[in-house]
Every structure is written in C-alpha cells, then in structure tokens.
C-alpha cells in the first residue's frame, strides 16, 4: 500500500527570508491526517536567503537531521558542536534533555535544505552532535545508508529504529530497495521527477509505504531522494 503526499498539498509559510514547506503538521500548520509517519515527525523543505537563518533556540527529546541540498548551513549548539554543513554532508543532533542551537545561511547564496525530526527511542537522552560526508560516488545509482541506530557502513548514529538512505539517480537509472516484513517506508523526492513502482512523483512529493516488499525508484529526470526504513 502506498499513499502519496503531493508537494502542492504540503503546508507553506513564507516569511520573506524563509520559504518553508511542511510535509507534516508543523508550527501554525495543522493537518490531522499528516501528523507524522511512524517515528518520522517533521520534514520541512526550507529555502533561506543569504545572511539569514534561525538564531539560538531550544529543542528537547528529538532527533534532528539536517540535509542540505545546496548552499551551506553554519551550525552552532550548546554541546560545543559547530561547523559548516554543505550539500553531500548530513548532520544529526540529539536534543535529548535540552539543547540550544542556531542554523544560519553560511554562504552568499540561497540555502536549500531538508530539516527532519524523528521521535527518539526514549526521552531524556544526553544531547549530542554528529556530522559526516557522503560523496556523490557513494550515492549514485544506489541507496546509501546515511543514518542508522548502529552506525552501520559509516553512517550517522540516530537514536531510533530507522535506516535513512540517500540516492542520486541519472535519467533512466533505478534504485531498488527491499523492505523487510513488518517494516514501513517513507520516500521523499527532494529533486527531480520519477516513478516509485510505477507511481509518478515530482520534487517535494512524499510516499508512505506499508505492506510492500520491493520498491523500485526510477528517474525520468535526475533525482535526489531519501528513503526512511521504519519500524
């Protein structure tokens, strides 16, 4: 069973410096049928103008993954984590018992990113920060795990039973994924256009998947996509 969440159906907020689309309910946007999916709580697609961003603000009891599509994020948090995050790199921050952080546009161009929140496996975790690079060569034409509960294959460690994969596909390329019994998936098409098991998708679309085993993503134009394998 697959349920498509069309890009144009997402919540939208334009604050001038920030243009944001919300796949699930977030802030003032409320969609009772899309409060999240399994442990996945937030996917926001943000575009932030140069010189702007989110100043220091608090979070707690959430696993936050930042995935830049273009531009650079200047990150700083109260755990001592600090750095510049560019496309091809992924960051995980465990908010746990409480953390302050800021995310600013760190370049002289528009910043385009996905901000992802996952409910943690338990509350009250020690706050933490981690960032890693995943070169295009490791993601081209295949699913590359970028976050997992056991840091498999050099991925980020996330405190939840989820495997997050990323792929880049050229026109006509396919990436196949086998979903184990009793597992669920969310596919987010970040860029491009293609099909998932024959269902047409465009940039910004998401798909909730349950009771399926074999998923085949085919690119009709160059694609960047994320796949969440969830309990």
């Amino acid at each position: 069973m697959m349920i498509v969440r069309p890009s144009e159906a997402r919540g939208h907020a334009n604050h001038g410096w920030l243009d944001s689309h919300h796949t699930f309910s977030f802030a003032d946007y409320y969609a009772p049928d899309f409060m999240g999916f399994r442990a996945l709580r937030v996917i926001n697609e943000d575009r932030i103008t140069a010189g702007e961003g989110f100043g220091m603000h608090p979070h707690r009891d959430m696993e936050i993954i930042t995935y830049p599509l273009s531009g650079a994020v200047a990150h700083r948090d109260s755990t001592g984590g600090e750095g510049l995050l560019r496309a091809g790199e992924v960051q995980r921050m465990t908010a746990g018992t409480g953390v302050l952080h800021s995310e600013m546009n760190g370049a002289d161009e528009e910043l385009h990113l996905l901000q992802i929140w996952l409910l943690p496996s338990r509350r009250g975790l020690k706050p933490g920060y981690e960032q890693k690079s995943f070169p295009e060569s490791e993601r081209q034409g295949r699913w590359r795990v970028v976050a997992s509960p056991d840091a498999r294959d050099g991925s980020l460690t996330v405190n939840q039973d989820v495997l997050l994969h990323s792929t880049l596909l050229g026109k006509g390329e396919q990436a196949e994924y086998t979903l184990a019994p009793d597992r669920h998936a969310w596919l987010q098409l970040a860029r491009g256009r293609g099909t998932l098991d024959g269902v047409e998708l465009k940039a910004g679309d998401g798909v909730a998947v349950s009771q399926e085993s074999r998923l085949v993503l085919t690119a009709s134009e160059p694609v960047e996509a994320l796949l969440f394998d969830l309990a």
Side-chain angles (χ1 to χ4, degrees):
M1 179 176 67
M2 297 196 299
I3 299 174
V4 177
R5 174 69 160 152
S7 171
E8 63 273 16
R10 296 177 297 175
H12 182 223
N14 192 333
H15 302 284
W17 63 273
L18 168 67
D19 188 17
S20 184
H21 288 84
H22 314 314
T23 294
F24 304 116
S25 294
F26 183 83
D28 293 333
Y29 171 64
Y30 177 62
D33 293 334
F34 290 94
M35 297 299 295
F37 181 73
R38 316 300 293 182
L40 180 57
R41 179 61 188 84
V42 167
I43 302 178
N44 287 348
E45 181 182 1
D46 292 343
R47 296 178 185 270
I48 301 171
T49 59
E52 300 288 348
F54 303 95
M56 276 290 183
H57 59 283
H59 291 284
R60 66 180 303 128
D61 290 322
M62 198 67 69
E63 297 289 284
I64 299 173
I65 295 175
T66 303
Y67 187 101
L69 294 165
S70 63
V73 184
H75 168 88
R76 184 164 60 92
D77 68 51
S78 55
T79 73
E82 185 173 1
L84 204 62
L85 182 71
R86 298 186 181 276
E89 298 175 308
V90 185
Q91 177 197 104
R92 184 269 306 164
M93 187 179 73
T94 296
T97 55
V99 68
L100 293 169
H101 81 139
S102 65
E103 294 170 299
M104 305 298 293
N105 187 331
D108 294 327
E109 60 179 317
E110 182 183 77
L111 168 60
H112 184 198
L113 62 86
L114 296 178
Q115 183 89 157
I116 298 155
W117 294 7
L118 292 157
L119 299 171
S121 56
R122 66 184 190 277
R123 299 171 67 87
L125 292 166
K126 180 181 178 181
Y129 162 87
E130 188 182 15
Q131 178 175 319
K132 290 188 176 182
S133 176
F134 300 94
E136 289 187 5
S137 60
E138 296 183 5
R139 297 181 289 140
Q140 189 66 50
R142 60 185 287 262
W143 291 111
R144 194 335 178 170
V145 61
V146 298
S148 66
D150 53 7
R152 69 185 63 180
D153 299 331
S155 63
L156 298 168
T157 304
V158 64
N159 294 287
Q160 180 51 265
D161 183 5
V162 58
L163 301 174
L164 172 57
H165 298 78
S166 170
T167 192
L168 300 169
L169 301 176
K171 183 178 179 179
E173 276 193 300
Q174 290 185 334
E176 183 176 332
Y177 191 83
T178 300
L179 201 60
D182 300 321
R183 300 288 293 186
H184 307 262
W186 182 277
L187 183 131
Q188 189 71 25
L189 200 68
R191 288 195 281 216
R193 188 178 291 270
T195 62
L196 182 65
D197 291 352
V199 176
E200 292 191 5
L201 301 173
K202 62 187 179 304
D205 287 354
V207 186
V209 181
S210 297
Q211 299 173 353
E212 301 283 348
S213 58
R214 180 175 175 266
L215 302 174
V216 180
L217 179 65
T218 305
S220 52
E221 60 185 55
V223 153
E224 183 165 6
L226 295 178
L227 187 146
F228 300 80
D229 182 331
L230 301 144

